[in-house]
Amino acid sequence: MSRTAQEAPAPPEALARYEAVIGLEVHAQLQTLTKAFCGCSTKFGGAPNSNTCPVCLGLPGALPVLNRRALELALRASMAIGCKIQERSRFARKNYFYPDLPKGYQISMYELPLAIEGSIEIEVEGEKKRIGITRLHMEDDAGKSLHEGFPDAEQWSHIDFNRCGVPLIEIVSEPDLRTPAEAYAYLNTLKQILEYTEVSDCNMEEGSLRCDANVSVRLRGAPKFGTKAEVKNLNSFRYLSHALEYEIERQIGILESGGKIVQETRLWNVAAGRTEPMRSKEFAHDYRYFPDPDLLPVSISAAAIEEVRLSMPELPDAKVARFLRDYGITSYDAGVLTATRALADYFEAAVKAGAPAKAAANWISVELLRRLNDAGKEIAECPVAPAALAELLGKIEKGEITAASGKKVFATMFETGKRAAEIIAAEGLAQITDTSAIEKIARAVVAKSPDNVAKYRSGNEGVFKFFVGQVMRETRGQANPQLVNEIVKRVLAE
Ligand code: ADP
Ligand code: ZN
Ligand code: MG
């Protein structure tokens, strides 16, 4: 479909004159066994409507009771993003009609959210920036409509209420983000924090983490924000980036052609690669919010907050700082190794088992991650245990094998799950440190290349590398490189 006249793409020089303003509303499913206000299972993928009861189906007379674990996880998330936990908060009914919402309202929080005024630090291209968080509140999820046969055959719409009543937190950011890259970094950092704290599994394919992006544009230097549009339900990083890029250009195009932005809710059409209008903007008063009379207000004591503090694991930023301090590794490696708690634990287990920290950091971030990635495996399924990696790195450090052989051994360890010692013995990879053996090979190599010897002697230092390379090749990479250097130099000097 072609764009309407109003949506003509903006010329490139116009894009540079504008700046985008972005705020994200992120929804994360809490990792509880049961739903927010009833005892139904939250397990994903069950037979349709198998995890339902009168409470989550909104049957008359059924009464909700708040899931204590859901509250604990929401409190932990609040603290991890630096929010103030409010002494008193309250659930409200957000009224609207939709087939996947049998109660006719969503249970959410409105004028008294669970926590307010936090922030997290993001990093884009080495630049750090603090992004404000307006609020964090709890709510319940809706069910799912599934449309079949559309658009050609007979059409059926089915409803699955398994997700209905699953506990969510919504985290609303300040309009502090300025580029799609910053929005990406913000969502990524938030995801990492929610995973570290085990608040949510953040599985985006299963919809456990999704976000709505609010976007406006303004001329650079303009004092006020422009009118925003909201793009709903982005459930992957790629969709978030693409939708923001598209939406920013669309709005600039409208302004450049003399039009006005209408405040509205839009959808990202994946197949067409564009945002499309969904409905005109709804306002808070449209929802007729009122305190839910079925639920008690939530009061959080200082003692309860202290309990949350004690249950808090080390957060990503603190872990990075500690890794830099304790292990002397590069900040790049520290970033890679702390991407997930499991990977950081693996690294620390290897060091504890005796691996030199810098070598372990390097091997894990290069060799190990590449092989895991190629095999489509998570660190939890890694066939090489941390202690086994430590053993291999110890052998390289002690000079029992060369680093080049080490890579071969590691590949075999990864494929077979065997230990380094066994592979080194079976494949005869022990490092050659026998000087007379190396010298014999060096002499043979030199004798074979009188031309290069002449070049070397007439001052071409570059061919030295050629000789070293040849000796290493003859020894299948097993000769001690330092010895090879010394011996080749000596032989050539004769
Ligand atoms: P609404 O009342 O329309 O829901 P809110 O003030 O609650 O708006 O903000 C919702 C989200 O939109 C927040 O994440 C906020 O940071 C963001 N936001 C607010 N104003 C703008 C704007 N002009 N441009 C982009 N994002 C904005
Ligand atoms: Zn239920
Ligand atoms: Mg809002």
Side-chain angles (χ1 to χ4, degrees):
M1 200 167 58
S2 67
R3 296 189 192 191
T4 62
Q6 254 219 331
E7 298 197 3
E13 79 276 5
L15 295 181
R17 281 187 279 111
Y18 286 83
E19 161 180 82
V21 171
I22 302 162
L24 297 188
E25 296 168 88
V26 175
H27 291 91
Q29 236 177 54
L30 297 173
Q31 240 176 124
T32 56
L33 293 174
T34 56
K35 293 186 181 180
F37 303 107
C38 64
C40 291
S41 168
T42 53
K43 208 167 157 56
F44 182 85
N49 299 304
S50 56
N51 300 326
T52 55
C53 75
V55 173
C56 55
L57 290 175
L59 300 188
L63 285 173
V65 177
L66 176 60
N67 179 335
R68 189 188 177 90
R69 183 72 185 147
L71 178 61
E72 285 167 5
L73 293 177
L75 289 172
R76 199 190 288 172
S78 303
M79 194 174 283
I81 56 176
C83 281
K84 283 190 228 156
I85 293 166
Q86 306 223 88
E87 236 178 275
R88 211 177 143 82
S89 48
R90 178 155 80 181
F91 286 101
R93 291 189 180 178
K94 182 180 183 180
N95 300 282
Y96 66 95
F97 170 80
Y98 208 74
D100 63 15
L101 190 73
K103 300 193 297 300
Y105 58 87
Q106 181 187 23
I107 301 177
S108 184
M109 286 172 159
Y110 181 53
E111 83 297 7
L112 293 175
L114 189 69
I116 56 170
E117 294 170 9
S119 68
I120 60 173
E121 191 172 70
I122 63 164
E123 189 175 325
V124 175
E125 286 169 15
E127 296 249 347
K128 293 193 169 162
K129 183 173 173 184
R130 204 149 260 291
I131 305 301
I133 288 167
T134 316
R135 57 189 270 151
L136 180 152
H137 66 255
M138 299 179 74
E139 55 188 32
D140 65 355
D141 210 345
K144 257 188 207 163
S145 302
L146 304 148
H147 307 289
E148 220 174 68
F150 184 82
D152 13 70
E154 210 174 346
Q155 292 175 29
W156 291 94
S157 284
H158 305 271
I159 300 205
D160 180 1
F161 289 121
N162 282 350
R163 202 179 65 179
C164 203
V166 165
L168 302 176
I169 47 173
E170 176 173 345
I171 298 170
V172 183
S173 87
E174 288 289 304
D176 289 346
L177 302 159
R178 292 291 173 271
T179 60
E182 286 185 8
Y184 188 108
Y186 170 82
L187 186 62
N188 201 34
T189 305
L190 203 52
K191 176 171 184 272
Q192 195 191 17
I193 292 171
L194 296 177
E195 284 170 345
Y196 258 67
T197 49
E198 291 169 342
V199 164
S200 173
D201 66 15
C202 294
N203 185 332
M204 295 182 99
E205 284 89 56
E206 295 180 3
S208 299
L209 186 76
R210 43 194 205 261
C211 89
D212 305 336
N214 297 270
V215 204
S216 64
V217 298
R218 62 175 169 183
L219 282 169
R220 282 182 193 281
K224 280 211 236 155
F225 290 161
T227 302
K228 71 179 189 315
E230 178 174 3
V231 188
K232 279 274 179 205
N233 252 325
L234 299 163
N235 62 357
S236 85
F237 281 94
R238 198 152 44 93
Y239 298 162
L240 173 67
S241 302
H242 290 175
L244 285 174
E245 275 156 22
Y246 179 91
E247 188 57 23
I248 291 166
E249 271 199 49
R250 184 188 73 86
Q251 293 186 12
I252 294 173
I254 291 174
L255 295 179
E256 280 293 293
S257 58
K260 265 201 174 142
I261 309 299
V262 279
Q263 186 157 334
E264 65 186 353
T265 303
R266 300 177 69 87
L267 274 184
W268 173 244
N269 181 329
V270 176
R274 63 169 176 246
T275 65
E276 287 169 354
M278 177 185 176
R279 57 174 186 244
S280 65
K281 163 75 189 165
E282 73 291 348
F283 294 93
H285 62 250
D286 295 327
Y287 289 116
R288 289 296 187 263
Y289 279 102
F290 65 88
D292 193 315
D294 285 346
L295 286 157
L296 287 168
V298 181
S299 16
I300 310 292
S301 64
I305 293 179
E306 193 46 35
E307 223 169 275
V308 177
R309 198 181 308 283
L310 292 175
S311 79
M312 191 70 79
E314 183 179 38
L315 294 177
D317 280 354
K319 210 183 272 290
V320 167
R322 183 169 63 80
F323 276 20
L324 291 176
R325 197 176 58 230
D326 291 0
Y327 300 121
I329 59 178
T330 64
S331 63
Y332 174 80
D333 278 346
V336 172
L337 294 174
T338 55
T340 64
R341 258 171 89 172
L343 189 62
D345 289 348
Y346 184 99
F347 165 70
E348 290 203 280
V351 173
K352 210 164 179 190
K358 283 187 187 174
N362 199 13
W363 277 70
I364 292 170
S365 65
V366 181
E367 295 294 320
L368 184 78
L369 286 184
R370 180 166 55 83
R371 290 197 183 273
L372 283 176
N373 193 35
D374 289 350
K377 284 192 163 126
E378 298 285 331
I379 186 72
E381 310 158 288
C382 182
V384 180
L389 176 66
E391 187 185 315
L392 171 69
L393 298 185
K395 290 192 183 306
I396 297 170
E397 168 133 304
K398 280 188 244 136
E400 286 175 34
I401 54 169
T402 62
S405 302
K407 286 187 184 166
K408 284 189 223 159
V409 174
F410 182 74
T412 311
M413 287 168 72
F414 195 93
E415 276 159 31
T416 62
K418 285 186 185 154
R419 303 291 285 228
E422 194 184 335
I423 297 162
I424 292 165
E427 300 191 10
L429 288 170
Q431 177 158 262
I432 302 167
T433 50
D434 174 350
T435 45
S436 62
I438 296 174
E439 184 169 333
K440 211 167 132 199
I441 295 165
R443 286 191 186 287
V445 164
V446 166
K448 249 197 275 174
S449 280
D451 291 1
N452 282 323
V453 173
K455 274 192 209 157
Y456 178 78
R457 293 199 171 131
S458 65
N460 183 343
E461 296 274 328
V463 291
F464 182 70
K465 278 207 189 97
F466 161 80
F467 289 114
V468 170
Q470 290 299 306
V471 175
M472 290 309 284
R473 221 174 78 172
E474 292 291 319
T475 58
R476 290 167 50 224
Q478 283 165 247
N480 176 306
Q482 229 167 317
L483 286 179
V484 172
N485 266 290
E486 285 164 22
I487 292 169
V488 169
K489 202 165 273 172
R490 179 153 50 75
V491 169
L492 283 169
E494 282 169 2

